[in-house]
Amino acid sequence: MTEYILAIGSAIWLGILTSISPCPLTANIAAISYISGRIDKPSKVLLSGLLYTFGRILVYLVLGILIVFSATSIHGLSFKLQRIMTPVLGPLFIAVGLLLLGVFTFNIGSKGMSDKMQARIDKMGLWGALPLGVILGLAFCPVSAAIYFGSLIPLAIERGDPFLMPSLYGIGTAAPVVLFAFLIAFAAHKVASAFKKITSAEIWVRRITGAILVLLGIYMTVKHFFL
């Protein structure tokens, strides 16, 4: 039961950490600001933020279901993967932790929206926030890719849960986005201040989380191979 609660908390926390990382955070604010510039009512700005957030959650959920369900539904493969994930999780957590600590970096290519796609989203007005969330959700930054594919997916496979873990991760990513949508809708002058505070806090949150992942990874590795 304790392990299950820790897994749930980890999924939510990894989602929050992803959302406040510099690349996703900047993209989220830019996207919501872009949408709100075409909407005249604060309530609709907030609604657009929720639609945008749902689009991102949908990406994480669908990807999680496809990867985890495919991996765990094949006859004979489920047990093997869950057994393999136990020794693999430790080294993976160490690698992701070192990335969060800035010990090493890596780049992944991502393409922005084409002019044609942007024009289609503009024509959709308020509802364009949903596909915009999907598109930007698919544009993984290095940190968000490492957290999602390097920590959440292995955790979901190890738990054999293709639905709950990705859903909780998506909910975790939603919290800061909804906050900024609310600020842009009803207190736009506070966005810059909130962004500065979250960016400053993110550095320490990322470092602390990275250190915890490294220590946890070392503990899991030592426990599995030497104890």
Side-chain angles (χ1 to χ4, degrees), residues 94-195:
I94 293 174
V96 174
L98 292 175
L99 177 68
L100 294 179
L101 289 171
V103 175
F104 67 89
T105 59
F106 71 93
N107 295 315
I108 54 176
S110 61
K111 296 181 179 180
M113 289 188 297
S114 64
D115 293 338
K116 188 175 182 180
M117 179 62 70
Q118 184 174 338
R120 289 180 179 178
I121 289 176
D122 287 343
K123 289 181 180 180
M124 294 176 69
L126 172 67
W127 295 100
L130 180 60
L132 183 60
V134 171
I135 292 169
L136 294 184
L138 289 169
F140 283 96
C141 298
V143 171
S144 60
I147 293 174
Y148 184 79
F149 294 106
S151 293
L152 181 80
I153 292 300
L155 181 64
I157 292 176
E158 194 268 341
R159 300 294 307 179
D161 190 341
F163 300 100
L164 183 60
M165 295 294 111
S167 297
L168 292 175
Y169 175 86
I171 291 172
T173 65
V177 178
V178 173
L179 170 63
F180 276 105
F182 179 84
L183 290 175
I184 290 174
F186 300 102
H189 61 286
K190 294 184 178 181
V191 172
S193 176
F195 177 77

Side-chain angles (χ1 to χ4, degrees), residues 1 3 21 32-33 73 79 144 168 184 187 189 213 215 220:
M1 183 65 180
E3 291 184 358
S21 297
I32 295 174
S33 299
S73 63
F79 177 74
S144 60
L168 292 175
I184 290 174
H189 61 286
L213 283 175
L215 292 174
M220 293 174 69

Side-chain angles (χ1 to χ4, degrees), residues 51-86:
L51 288 170
Y52 170 81
T53 300
F54 180 73
R56 294 194 73 116
I57 291 176
L58 195 61
V59 169
Y60 301 133
L61 178 58
V62 171
L63 282 177
I65 290 174
L66 289 175
I67 296 172
V68 180
F69 185 77
S70 298
T72 57
S73 63
I74 300 175
H75 181 68
L77 183 61
S78 175
F79 177 74
K80 290 181 181 179
L81 278 175
Q82 289 177 330
R83 187 175 59 183
I84 290 172
M85 279 299 119
T86 300

Side-chain angles (χ1 to χ4, degrees), residues 10 13-14 17 89-101 143 146-148 150-152 155 205-221:
S10 298
W13 179 247
L14 289 173
L17 180 62
L89 273 179
L92 276 176
F93 282 175
I94 293 174
V96 174
L98 292 175
L99 177 68
L100 294 179
L101 289 171
V143 171
I147 293 174
Y148 184 79
S151 293
L152 181 80
L155 181 64
V205 170
R206 173 161 43 85
R207 289 174 179 174
I208 291 171
T209 303
I212 291 173
L213 283 175
V214 170
L215 292 174
L216 179 60
I218 293 173
Y219 168 77
M220 293 174 69
T221 302

